[in-house]
Amino acid sequence: MALAPGHVAKVLGVPPYAKGSNPVLQQGERRAPGAYPFGRGALAWRPDGLLYGTTESGRQVYRVTADNHVELIASNQVRTADDKTRPADPLAPFDAHQGDGGLAADATLMLPWGLAFTPQGDLLVADTIGGRIRKLTHLQDSPRIEAFAGVPSVTLLQNFSAGEEMSQLQAEGRQAKDTAFVVPMALACATDGTVYVAEGGNVSLPMLFVIAGTGLDLGDGVSLPKAYARVRKIAPDGTVTTILGPGGKVLTDPTAEDALVLPSGLALAPDGRLAVVDGGSNRILILPAGSY
């Protein structure tokens, strides 16, 4: 059906936590789109025409099928007995692997946000609070999950509380799986497999980590090393470099008036330009091709 300019073809979802609605999808469930409260998160179209998304309220990755039903792809949040509409706390108990190597629907995501498809059709997911980027494979049959980049945020905090050096915060030249990504919020992937990651850093988010049920206690007077907002690049061989923010080529001074504050969106143009939404300063930054 042809639509006049400005018309909306389809609206999905219901108000969050409306009577009878539940943001948590169960394994095998196929929810009608008018009965699912799509929360805050990100969206990405797969080349096969299916829509994938993340939801902050359900802490899951979902897919809208060809017949317009919503189904679970990753992160099986179990509801508590006394709260039928909200997901249980995904931080307790904490498992550093969080289901890596298994079925995506059985895995745990602390707060999935940014999405990007790889040239192979796999889906990358930025786990904002978890501090990692996960890869979902076999999307057309039984989706599986594996680690792609990052060190679990709780592992970093536990190591720091034990007096260990947090060298993973230094990105340059490190492998992605051994590099700390502090609040990864947005992703973009180039045709050659290069992945771009926008990080909020713990400076921009005072309530960065909410540790529940882990027994973690940093102690009185203990302050975490500052991690500033950055945009980083993961090369196809897994090597990490910084392109924006401290350690990068542009906006390197975090105290300057034009400093990067909270990069929350990325878009890569076919000609190689990279656009960055800085939600903390109400700006869109566009990097010319070849400049980063």
Side-chain angles (χ1 to χ4, degrees), residues 156-174:
L156 284 176
L157 288 174
Q158 289 171 334
N159 291 345
F160 181 72
S161 68
E164 298 181 21
E165 181 182 0
M166 296 178 70
S167 59
Q168 294 99 331
L169 290 174
Q170 305 303 318
E172 307 315 301
R174 298 181 74 94

Side-chain angles (χ1 to χ4, degrees), residues 89 91 94 98 110-111 127-132 151-160 166 169 180-184 199-214 216 218 223-227:
D89 185 354
L91 301 184
F94 176 76
Q98 299 174 302
M110 292 187 177
L111 184 60
D127 190 348
T128 298
I129 297 299
R132 294 202 296 159
V151 178
S153 55
V154 176
T155 298
L156 284 176
L157 288 174
Q158 289 171 334
N159 291 345
F160 181 72
M166 296 178 70
L169 290 174
F181 290 85
V182 183
V183 194
E199 297 174 69
N202 59 18
V203 172
S204 299
L205 299 179
M207 300 303 293
L208 172 60
F209 300 118
V210 179
I211 307 302
T214 64
L216 179 62
L218 294 180
S223 59
L224 292 172
K226 290 182 178 179

